[in-house]
Amino acid sequence: MIIVSACLCGINTRYDGKSNFNDKVSELLKQGKAVLVCPEQLGGLSTPRPAHEITGGTGAEVLEGCAKVVSANGDDGTCYFIKGAEETLEIAKQVDAKIAILKAKSPSCGCGNIYNGAFSKSLIEGNGVTAELLIRNGIKVYTEQEIDNILL
Ligand code: SF4
């Protein structure tokens, strides 16, 4: 079973109440190969919600307690992002997922590059909080941009 970001399958979980529909990821759901997660909803955030970015580091530093996830208004949402990552990991364990395909650049789901915390659309190297936790637990994480390279 593959863990996938719910917004990639057309579910309106995004911070602005919209989705990031991707037909190839959605096809995995239709084939019964995927389980949907939205870490930010699983962590207790509402939809729509303010956009958040990681400040002071990446998902790795958030998990280590030395960076925060803050909204554009400056509110600290770190606890929700950590909770969402933990809940996603629990789902991944329950379905014995070895692979996750998560939304690129997100402070939760991003893998390889994420927004830099300045709400300027600029990227830094690193992973979102959920992607980092899944990787630390042996799950291979890809973004939707890499789906053509994944042997499914
Ligand atoms: Fe999509 Fe992940 Fe953001 Fe949820 S947390 S809306 S699944 S990118």
Side-chain angles (χ1 to χ4, degrees):
M1 197 59 81
I2 302 168
I3 294 292
V4 301
S5 293
C7 59
L8 293 173
C9 292
I11 310 302
N12 295 318
T13 54
R14 220 169 69 166
Y15 74 95
D16 57 1
K18 298 178 181 174
S19 79
N20 298 298
F21 179 74
N22 178 292
D23 56 346
K24 291 179 180 172
V25 178
S26 190
E27 187 59 30
L28 294 173
L29 178 65
K30 289 180 190 159
Q31 293 172 0
K33 296 179 178 174
V35 171
L36 303 187
V37 298
C38 174
E40 291 173 23
Q41 289 188 345
L42 286 165
L45 290 167
S46 60
T47 304
R49 56 188 171 275
H52 286 72
E53 294 190 7
I54 298 174
T55 181
T58 69
E61 285 74 35
V62 172
L63 291 175
E64 287 152 16
C66 48
K68 293 182 177 179
V69 194
V70 298
S71 75
N73 306 329
D75 295 329
D76 185 351
T78 307
C79 62
Y80 301 109
F81 284 74
I82 292 174
K83 170 84 168 159
E86 291 171 345
E87 296 285 22
T88 299
L89 177 60
E90 177 60 26
I91 292 169
K93 285 180 175 174
Q94 290 201 17
V95 301
D96 197 24
K98 303 284 191 282
I99 292 175
I101 302 172
L102 303 182
K103 175 70 186 75
K105 304 174 191 170
S106 154
S108 294
C109 293
C111 184
N113 291 285
I114 55 171
Y115 291 119
N116 72 351
F119 296 93
S120 61
K121 307 267 185 214
S122 300
L123 298 173
I124 55 171
E125 284 188 19
N127 303 318
V129 182
T130 292
E132 179 69 23
L133 187 64
L134 295 184
I135 291 166
R136 289 183 180 194
N137 282 273
I139 296 170
K140 291 191 189 318
V141 178
Y142 302 91
T143 73
E144 77 281 10
Q145 297 166 341
E146 301 168 293
I147 192 166
D148 289 335
N149 303 330
I150 305 168
L151 185 61
L152 299 172

